[in-house]
Amino acid sequence: QVQLVESGGGLVQAGGSLRLSCTASGRTRSTYAMGWFRQAPGKEREFVAAISWIGFRTYFADSVKGRFTISRDNNKNTLYLQMNSLKPEDTAVYYCAESYSTYASNYYFERGYDYWGQGTQVTVSS
């Protein structure tokens, strides 16, 4: 059973930065991609970013392009989300997820992922 554990969330002022981490364990097969989603109070969970495990291709939601970067360290089995120029509307619980899909179009949707972490809270104050 794959386990994903997020960390790095917290409270930050608007314009500030945070780096989220997601460490994976228990893998028994190759991963094709990992992603970040977020869910704000009263809203549905939405796609934030994803990265393919081969080729390093990255994918971003329009709302975070130019502000967030996604990266991963295969040796550490860790996924990162660097969030800069944070806005109050970035406030949400952030989840990392692992995908075994070979179709990049799936990375934008929850259905494209097989395992999920418990989430870490990010709060951006104005």
Side-chain angles (χ1 to χ4, degrees), residues 6-100:
E6 302 97 336
S7 61
L11 173 64
V12 64
Q13 288 188 333
S17 298
L18 279 176
R19 188 177 82 156
L20 305 183
S21 300
C22 172
T23 302
S25 62
R27 284 185 177 135
T28 60
R29 56 180 293 188
S30 297
T31 298
Y32 281 93
M34 291 191 74
W36 289 97
F37 284 72
R38 66 187 181 186
Q39 187 168 22
K43 295 187 177 181
E44 293 186 351
R45 190 153 55 180
E46 64 176 6
F47 170 77
V48 175
I51 185 167
S52 63
W53 229 239
I54 299 174
F56 293 83
R57 289 202 65 179
T58 57
Y59 311 84
F60 293 95
D62 288 343
S63 60
V64 306
K65 279 181 182 176
R67 299 189 298 124
F68 291 10
T69 58
I70 187 171
S71 61
R72 81 286 198 280
D73 184 330
N74 287 359
N75 291 331
K76 296 181 178 179
N77 286 326
T78 300
L79 174 73
Y80 302 100
L81 183 69
Q82 178 66 44
M83 305 185 295
N84 298 327
S85 302
L86 282 162
K87 305 175 181 179
E89 52 264 43
D90 294 317
T91 295
V93 176
Y94 283 71
Y95 300 89
C96 71
E98 184 158 305
S99 173
Y100 298 143

Side-chain angles (χ1 to χ4, degrees), residues 1-12:
Q1 182 78 6
V2 174
Q3 289 190 323
L4 303 174
V5 179
E6 302 97 336
S7 61
L11 173 64
V12 64

Side-chain angles (χ1 to χ4, degrees), residues 103-124:
Y103 296 98
S105 58
N106 285 342
Y107 301 156
Y108 295 91
F109 305 100
E110 290 184 68
R111 65 172 184 265
Y113 295 83
D114 301 274
Y115 292 98
W116 293 82
Q118 294 298 309
T120 185
Q121 176 70 47
V122 171
T123 303
V124 185

